[in-house]
Amino acid sequence: MLLLLGSFSTAHAVPLQLNHQGRLLDADGVGLSGQHQLQFRIMDDPDYGSSLWEETMNVQFINGYYSVILGADEGGNPLDEMVLAEYPLWLELTVDSSDPMSPRHRLTSVPYAHIAGVAEAVEGGSVNASEVMINGDQVIDQNGNWIGTIDWA
């Protein structure tokens, strides 16, 4: 296989699934067709390292194009935040019984993932903070003690 073009996107922080699309061409530049077995591994190194998560699936190809949802088996093989927290990460792809493709694809964020890193509101959940600040002034310390003053006028 010569070429791997792909993209990742996440719509929300939960569920933790990755949409992955790509195109695979053979040595003659012809797109794969029919069903092929793909093994996806999320790795902690671009060349060596350890596999942090993996999934194998049979995928239908049309003129080399394919689309899959990684982590769709939330009960049996979830792709959870503990794996994705091990940044930086790389995706390794193996087609049928061949050797893994090279180079590995580096996983990067999509624009809305950056927004998800900053909470705008907390509703119905727990908060675990080491301090609380209002307008840059600390009002609750790391021990949970109220230390601030607020001008309510």
Side-chain angles (χ1 to χ4, degrees):
M1 304 305 144
L2 291 180
L3 181 65
L4 169 66
L5 298 175
S7 64
F8 281 85
S9 64
T10 56
H12 304 285
V14 176
L16 290 168
Q17 300 173 344
L18 298 175
N19 180 17
H20 174 71
Q21 303 94 27
R23 186 172 191 215
L24 293 176
L25 307 175
D26 65 16
D28 297 322
V30 177
L32 295 182
S33 293
Q35 190 168 356
H36 293 272
Q37 186 178 67
L38 298 183
Q39 182 176 37
F40 298 91
R41 286 190 189 96
I42 295 181
M43 308 293 291
D44 64 359
D45 186 86
D47 300 308
Y48 304 102
S50 299
S51 174
L52 303 174
W53 178 88
E54 65 183 68
E55 183 171 21
T56 302
M57 59 182 74
N58 293 316
V59 178
Q60 188 67 32
F61 284 78
I62 299 173
N63 193 24
Y65 293 99
Y66 68 95
S67 180
V68 296
I69 304 286
L70 301 177
D73 183 6
E74 292 177 350
N77 189 23
L79 178 56
D80 62 32
E81 62 272 359
M82 298 305 291
V83 170
L84 298 177
E86 296 294 322
Y87 186 82
L89 297 170
W90 287 264
L91 181 70
E92 179 180 274
L93 177 63
T94 302
V95 180
D96 296 323
S97 59
S98 65
D99 290 333
M101 296 182 71
S102 182
R104 292 175 179 162
H105 178 79
R106 185 167 185 170
L107 299 181
T108 58
S109 297
V110 295
Y112 284 107
H114 291 284
I115 295 169
V118 178
E120 293 182 15
V122 177
E123 296 178 16
S126 64
V127 175
N128 184 3
S130 60
E131 64 182 7
V132 176
M133 300 181 80
I134 297 177
N135 293 328
D137 295 322
Q138 187 177 19
V139 294
I140 300 176
D141 68 13
Q142 64 272 13
N143 297 317
N145 299 316
W146 180 266
I147 61 169
T149 59
I150 297 178
D151 182 9
W152 297 101

